[in-house]
Amino acid sequence: MSDINKKIRELVNYGLHTGLVVPEDEMYTINRLLEILKLDEYKEPENACPVPDLEKTLSDIMDWAYENGVLEENTVGYRDLFDTKLMGALVPAPSVVIAKFRELYRVSPQKATDFYYKFSRDTDYIRRYRISRDMKWTAETEYGTLDVTINLSKPEKDPKAIAAAKNAKQSAYPKCLLCRENEGYAGRLNHPARQSHRIIPLMIEGEKWGFQYSPYVYYNEHCIVFNQKHTPMKIDESAFRKLLSFVKQFPHYFLGSNADLPIVGGSILAHEHFQGGHYEFAMERAQIKTNLAIRGYEDVEAGIVNWPMSVIRIRHKDSERLIALASHILDTWRGYTDEAAFIFAKTDGEPHNTITPIARMRDGLYEMDLVLRNNITTEEYPLGVFHPHQELHHIKKENIGLIEVMGLAVLPARLKKEMAVLEEYIVQGKDIRSNEEIEKHADWVDEFLPKYDNVTEDNVEEILQKEIGIVFKKVLEHAGVYKNTPEGQEAFLRFVEAL
């Protein structure tokens, strides 16, 4: 019993240290934790408790809770629900957080986001200790330095939790992971707990929107901006207006949207949302390779970006001029067919052309990158002609969304283990095809290995990382509707002429 008192004190001390708990709320917070742990009393520990390692303190409390029948099952799913409930006892009400954000915003937008990002990490909504396990490196290419990450921060569910989630009661509340009803929601095995989650309300183009951070933080201050209504994604003039409205309010952030069609779109197309943050992607650093003068918009700076995908960059001091040109490019692209380049606006009445837009402020000008996308499929490429092709699926098979379009690969967790096994097989000269787990990588290894004279235990990881970077570059090239060849660029200019 004394040990759990010590752990409660550690957790409250963490709250006091981070500012989540103010001294006036100390006893109130202790009593909330007692209620969650089904305890009737608390005794202050005799020895002083330092500010704890949060992950360890929460883990120790959950171990105690399981041993004492408070935590139903000792699995990742149940533990995630329970530790979020514990943290929820430390987190102030939404009104308190919103008031603090607005007070700081009046000083500067960056002070407001600095506070809110730290808050989202301190509350354990962003689980820093999990994200620190993600593997990250960079890859040098002719397009610049690409970012590569193997995402390990989403916990793998054990079979018991998967079965429990399958049998759990299905609910349409909240409708999806982006809905505002998630704020403070207790969660269930098939929906994450959000008691420690707080949303900042924004007005964008006269509509109510929400601003929050991604719990998986693929890059610095990775934020999500979402419509408070559960309404589908749509790329149109109003989407461009909304993106620019946000960067006017937060000029130190970029904001972009996934496309609004399957295959080339994001994972949640049913709820209108954008992703942004305080990060410079490789695509932003990429230079213009061909300057453009678009009829009727000669006052707007425009050019084709030196990038593996097909990107038109436009810049102007007047956001209205950018919105007008972006809308013109989108409308033209939606209806554009060039059979010689295998670009079809529609087949059997199904639309294929759309855009992935990204907005930012740079050097006092509004800037938008418009990435041309097409989701057509064929018998040869059933997952998409402008999608990673079969020979790259051993590394990346999933959709190429906004984050990857900009030059950051988010690769599946399975690769960490596969690469470790592969390193051993390469160094020891074993037959890769003899191992079911890694045989899918055999052709790739056969292709790149002759480039290296001496592969050792010391350099094999670096070689694999470099080669994965090359695969990611190819992934982006496959997703580009106009290839970086003379024929591809000629076809790109045919589209520009049609504008």
Side-chain angles (χ1 to χ4, degrees):
M1 183 66 189
S2 61
D3 185 52
I4 192 61
N5 285 330
K6 182 172 178 290
K7 293 299 165 186
I8 290 169
R9 170 44 66 191
E10 282 181 12
L11 194 54
V12 173
N13 282 358
Y14 172 85
L16 290 164
H17 175 74
T18 55
L20 294 175
V21 176
V22 295
E24 294 86 344
D25 292 341
E26 184 176 354
M27 201 67 248
Y28 169 76
T29 304
I30 289 170
N31 285 330
R32 289 186 72 191
L33 290 168
L34 293 181
E35 181 185 357
I36 293 166
L37 294 167
K38 299 185 178 174
L39 291 168
D40 295 327
E41 57 185 342
Y42 169 78
K43 187 180 178 188
E44 193 66 41
E46 289 177 13
N47 299 322
C49 299
V51 175
D53 172 333
L54 181 62
E55 182 183 18
K56 184 173 189 322
T57 294
L58 288 173
S59 182
D60 289 346
I61 292 174
M62 287 187 290
D63 289 346
W64 179 91
Y66 178 66
E67 288 159 13
N68 288 272
V70 180
L71 178 60
E72 194 178 336
E73 294 277 358
N74 199 23
T75 61
V76 171
Y78 282 97
R79 285 174 78 95
D80 277 4
L81 291 171
F82 197 79
D83 71 359
T84 307
K85 192 175 188 179
L86 290 168
M87 289 305 298
L90 273 62
V91 180
S95 57
V96 176
V97 182
I98 293 163
K100 179 70 173 173
F101 183 91
R102 287 178 174 162
E103 175 194 330
L104 289 169
Y105 184 89
R106 286 191 286 274
V107 179
S108 86
Q110 187 162 346
K111 283 203 182 307
T113 56
D114 285 351
F115 151 72
Y116 183 44
Y117 189 55
K118 179 183 182 296
F119 171 86
S120 300
R121 287 152 61 93
D122 288 344
T123 62
D124 209 34
Y125 171 69
I126 296 171
R127 295 173 186 260
R128 280 178 277 207
Y129 43 86
R130 281 189 184 158
I131 288 156
S132 67
R133 294 169 196 154
D134 287 353
M135 294 177 67
K136 295 180 179 181
W137 67 93
T138 57
E140 298 303 322
T141 74
E142 63 265 42
Y143 306 107
T145 305
L146 305 180
D147 294 306
V148 184
T149 177
I150 295 178
N151 172 41
L152 304 168
S153 50
K154 284 186 183 177
E156 288 189 34
K157 291 182 178 174
D158 54 54
K160 201 170 180 180
I162 292 168
K166 189 178 176 185
N167 297 327
K169 181 186 167 194
Q170 297 301 306
S171 169
Y173 182 90
K175 286 192 178 79
C176 78
L177 291 170
L178 293 176
C179 286
R180 64 189 294 265
E181 289 82 4
N182 283 282
E183 187 176 42
Y185 185 59
R188 49 187 193 271
L189 279 173
N190 54 10
H191 192 102
R194 290 289 184 254
Q195 289 105 320
S196 59
H197 180 39
R198 299 294 179 262
I199 295 165
I200 303 298
L202 300 177
M203 290 301 290
I204 294 183
E205 287 297 295
E207 292 182 334
K208 291 181 178 178
W209 281 61
F211 170 57
Q212 64 184 53
Y213 290 104
S214 163
Y216 302 114
V217 189
Y218 294 138
Y219 52 85
N220 187 49
E221 295 175 49
H222 177 184
C223 70
I224 297 169
V225 180
F226 63 94
N227 196 324
Q228 289 201 16
K229 290 180 192 161
H230 184 80
T231 186
M233 295 280 290
K234 192 177 182 189
I235 302 298
D236 56 11
E237 181 190 322
S238 79
F240 301 140
R241 286 190 176 282
K242 290 164 188 170
L243 292 173
L244 289 169
S245 171
F246 178 85
V247 298
K248 280 177 195 174
Q249 294 179 59
F250 299 92
H252 59 299
Y253 274 22
F254 79 89
L255 194 68
S257 175
N258 272 304
D260 54 355
L261 292 178
I263 296 176
V264 296
S267 55
I268 305 179
L269 294 178
H271 194 133
E272 186 182 22
H273 71 286
F274 306 132
Q275 292 182 78
H278 198 186
Y279 190 73
E280 184 183 69
F281 283 86
M283 191 172 82
E284 183 181 342
R285 293 191 295 269
Q287 300 295 307
I288 298 293
K289 65 179 176 184
T290 308
N291 288 305
L292 304 174
I294 298 171
R295 278 188 302 272
Y297 298 91
E298 289 84 357
D299 59 315
V300 181
E301 280 183 54
I304 294 173
V305 180
N306 182 29
W307 193 243
M309 296 184 71
S310 307
V311 187
I312 297 175
R313 178 171 295 160
I314 56 177
R315 308 180 77 214
H316 203 279
K317 63 175 185 276
D318 180 359
S319 61
E320 287 300 321
R321 290 299 285 156
L322 276 200
I323 291 162
L325 178 51
S327 303
H328 174 57
I329 292 170
L330 175 64
D331 292 345
T332 307
W333 179 242
R334 290 259 196 222
Y336 185 75
T337 291
D338 180 350
E339 293 187 17
F342 208 76
I343 304 292
F344 296 89
K346 286 183 181 177
T347 56
D348 301 325
E350 182 192 338
H352 296 302
N353 290 347
T354 186
I355 278 176
T356 300
I358 300 103
R360 63 182 80 89
M361 293 287 297
R362 181 151 50 171
D363 303 326
L365 298 178
Y366 294 104
E367 181 173 282
M368 290 190 83
D369 284 346
L370 304 172
V371 189
L372 306 180
R373 311 298 302 272
N374 179 291
N375 76 346
I376 197 167
T377 59
T378 61
E379 272 188 37
E380 186 182 0
Y381 301 115
L383 295 181
V385 172
F386 305 107
H387 178 85
H389 293 171
Q390 183 74 29
E391 67 268 24
L392 306 181
H393 289 180
H394 65 103
I395 298 291
K396 179 71 176 176
K397 187 178 181 180
E398 298 80 8
N399 290 4
I400 302 307
L402 171 70
I403 293 169
E404 279 150 331
V405 162
M406 293 187 291
L408 191 160
V410 182
L411 301 178
R414 63 173 171 83
L415 277 176
K416 183 185 180 184
K417 188 179 176 197
E418 289 172 15
M419 291 304 114
V421 177
L422 205 51
E423 285 172 22
E424 177 197 328
Y425 272 62
I426 290 170
V427 171
Q428 295 180 14
K430 293 184 185 174
D431 178 13
I432 292 167
R433 288 176 178 81
S434 69
N435 185 319
E436 198 177 312
E437 185 178 24
I438 58 168
E439 63 178 337
K440 58 179 170 286
H441 299 299
D443 289 347
W444 172 55
V445 174
D446 287 347
E447 189 184 322
F448 76 70
L449 212 50
K451 290 195 292 188
Y452 301 95
D453 294 333
N454 187 27
V455 181
T456 66
E457 204 173 305
D458 293 332
N459 68 9
V460 67
E461 181 182 27
E462 186 184 334
I463 287 169
L464 278 178
Q465 289 186 351
K466 180 180 177 182
E467 293 298 326
I468 288 172
I470 291 169
V471 170
F472 177 52
K473 180 196 77 167
K474 289 178 181 173
V475 160
L476 295 181
E477 288 174 337
H478 285 188
V481 294
Y482 295 117
K483 307 310 175 194
N484 285 309
T485 61
E487 300 79 16
Q489 293 307 291
E490 193 181 310
F492 200 161
L493 290 173
R494 282 201 298 275
F495 168 66
V496 173
E497 280 298 310
L499 290 170

